[in-house]
Amino acid sequence: MKYVSTRGQAPALEFEDVVLTGLASDGGLYVPETIPEFSQEEIASWAGLSYQELALKVMSSFVAGSIPEADLKDLIDRSYSTFRHQAIVPMVQTGHNEWILELFQGPTLAFKDVALQFLGNLLDYVLKKRDQKVVIMGATSGDTGSAAIEGCRHCDNVDIFILHPYQRVSDVQRRQMTTVIENNVHNIAMKGNFDDCQNLVKASFADQSFLPEGRQLAAVNSINWARIMAQIVYYFYAGLSVGSPARKVSFSVPTGNFGDIFAGYIAKRMGLPVDQLVIATNSNDILHRCISNNDHSKKALEHTLSPSMDIMMSSNFERMLFELYDRDGAKIAELMEDFKSGSMTLGEAQLSKARELFSSYRLGDDEMIDVIRDVFENCEYLVDPHTAIGVEAARKTRRNNDVPMICLATAHPAKFPEAVKKAGQKEDPALPHHMSDLFDREEKCEILDHDAQVVRDFVASNCRA
């Protein structure tokens, strides 16, 4: 399997090279040269497989020619051995044909664990085979950082530097990152917002001259194709759980950087009979504005009670544009240049196609709090603010009540006590046992100005020999 850039000018790469490269040399994102497809009969034959067995079926085509099946199986088994629930991603019913897919059963209580536990093991495997060391530099709006650190903390050949926006993540999210005291783990609280962190990381990938000799940057955020690949699996797992492929299934996805819902789109392309894909956003609603009004323009970022979605530049939307424009790399490069100046506009045919593929909905903080309260009062199930937005988006945009609607629960409610208490809970939701002492642990974090040179100097001086 070869991988190509969304901007059409970078060389095609093998899977292992894509895992280590991150952004393509032309600034684009790597995608498979072809999307694997499965027949309805083959998908039906997967019913009853464990999550790990299903992951092997789904992922094998994407790594063909790079990783032997026995090695891939071992990577998958080790990656999901850290999850608290044997189903890995269990489902809970909250209404008629309405389900919550719990993606937070991993070690850091967020959906990012599903991909990043796998990516950490995958990186270790590839780097040991090549006798190579890399520097991971990533930006997080809350959950990616802790999941990436947990996945890579024991990697001998990785130094990891995670940037989060100073004072703009929850206390639990921050402490999950800053209390990991390892020689290869470095947390940077950068003064600015998530987009500032993400832009600095992207610029660093474009010019890596600041790194020590022999090192290169590797990506753990959702620009890394391996993360998208790992996320595709739970769409198939959830669909099979409610009767697919014999019946259609819909998904509502709390959406910030567009990686999670793009994985759902790829699952549909691979043969899963998906009826609706719902883009659920908070007041930072560029994706909703794009789908509903063809308004993909930058606006001031708002600080909300669903901070993991406080994003105005959704990196993975470029992958979707590549598909909407029939893989025309030159056109994507042109669109991304337009967006740099503040706005881009989709062509009529592409907008029409996007609206066929996606529904969208926007929810503010006050309405989101009402949803947390409503779900709890009706079925005594507590959702986090991001999941609440997904639930309401599903209810408001749903076209067919006979089709199961699965809302992706992206985080455990204990990570967002402020929102949960505003919804009427008298006490902070309890952290799971393995994290019960989180607020007693030592923290280690560097607070830096929004200055690229300062950040790069810190990275360069803290890489291990």
Side-chain angles (χ1 to χ4, degrees), residues 160-174:
I160 181 167
F161 298 82
I162 297 295
L163 283 69
H164 71 265
Y166 180 53
Q167 295 183 334
R168 292 197 177 189
V169 299
S170 76
D171 288 344
V172 172
Q173 287 177 313
R174 186 193 76 249

Side-chain angles (χ1 to χ4, degrees), residues 70-130:
D71 290 353
L72 180 60
K73 181 182 184 301
D74 179 62
L75 288 170
I76 290 168
D77 289 345
R78 283 192 284 120
S79 298
Y80 298 116
S81 66
T82 59
F83 280 60
R84 301 185 310 282
H85 199 293
Q86 286 190 346
I88 310 303
V89 291
M91 293 213 297
V92 175
Q93 190 165 10
T94 51
H96 171 66
N97 259 346
E98 179 185 275
W99 302 82
I100 302 288
L101 180 64
E102 292 187 341
L103 300 177
F104 53 73
Q105 297 290 344
T108 73
L109 315 182
F111 83 101
K112 309 290 177 72
D113 287 324
V114 179
L116 284 166
Q117 285 296 296
F118 174 75
L119 181 56
N121 284 310
L122 177 63
L123 281 170
D124 216 24
Y125 170 86
V126 173
L127 293 170
K128 283 178 179 176
K129 186 163 75 171
R130 296 184 173 203

Side-chain angles (χ1 to χ4, degrees), residues 285-295 297 299 312:
D285 60 350
I286 188 168
L287 293 168
H288 171 60
R289 286 187 283 112
C290 181
I291 298 297
S292 58
N293 296 315
N294 202 6
D295 173 16
S297 60
K299 293 187 176 180
M312 193 55 67

Side-chain angles (χ1 to χ4, degrees), residues 158-233:
V158 171
D159 288 305
I160 181 167
F161 298 82
I162 297 295
L163 283 69
H164 71 265
Y166 180 53
Q167 295 183 334
R168 292 197 177 189
V169 299
S170 76
D171 288 344
V172 172
Q173 287 177 313
R174 186 193 76 249
R175 284 179 170 273
Q176 283 184 301
M177 295 185 285
T178 59
T179 58
V180 177
I181 312 298
E182 302 280 1
N183 289 336
N184 70 326
V185 173
H186 303 276
N187 283 284
I188 299 170
M190 198 180 82
K191 295 177 181 177
N193 58 40
F194 169 76
D195 285 337
D196 295 327
C197 296
Q198 182 167 253
N199 288 337
L200 195 153
V201 169
K202 283 184 176 180
S204 298
F205 271 89
D207 179 5
Q208 302 186 24
S209 59
F210 65 96
L211 292 174
E213 187 176 353
R215 300 294 179 90
Q216 72 176 67
L217 288 180
V220 290
N221 64 2
S222 54
I223 66 171
N224 193 314
W225 172 257
R227 272 192 54 181
I228 306 293
M229 180 183 76
Q231 290 171 309
I232 295 167
V233 178

Side-chain angles (χ1 to χ4, degrees), residues 331-357:
K331 181 62 180 179
I332 301 310
E334 179 186 322
L335 283 170
M336 300 318 293
E337 279 300 313
D338 289 345
F339 187 54
K340 271 187 185 178
S341 63
S343 180
M344 68 179 175
T345 303
L346 273 61
E348 283 189 24
Q350 289 74 29
L351 181 61
S352 177
K353 188 175 178 181
R355 286 171 172 168
E356 288 176 13
L357 290 167

Side-chain angles (χ1 to χ4, degrees), residues 4-50:
V4 296
S5 169
T6 52
R7 301 192 190 180
Q9 297 301 308
L13 297 180
E14 302 285 349
F15 175 75
E16 287 187 5
D17 294 314
V18 165
V19 170
L20 296 180
T21 299
L23 279 176
S25 58
D26 59 3
L29 281 68
Y30 277 106
V31 294
E33 196 168 43
T34 57
I35 306 297
E37 294 183 15
F38 299 105
S39 68
Q40 300 299 284
E41 292 75 21
E42 190 168 7
I43 295 170
S45 74
W46 298 344
L49 293 181
S50 70

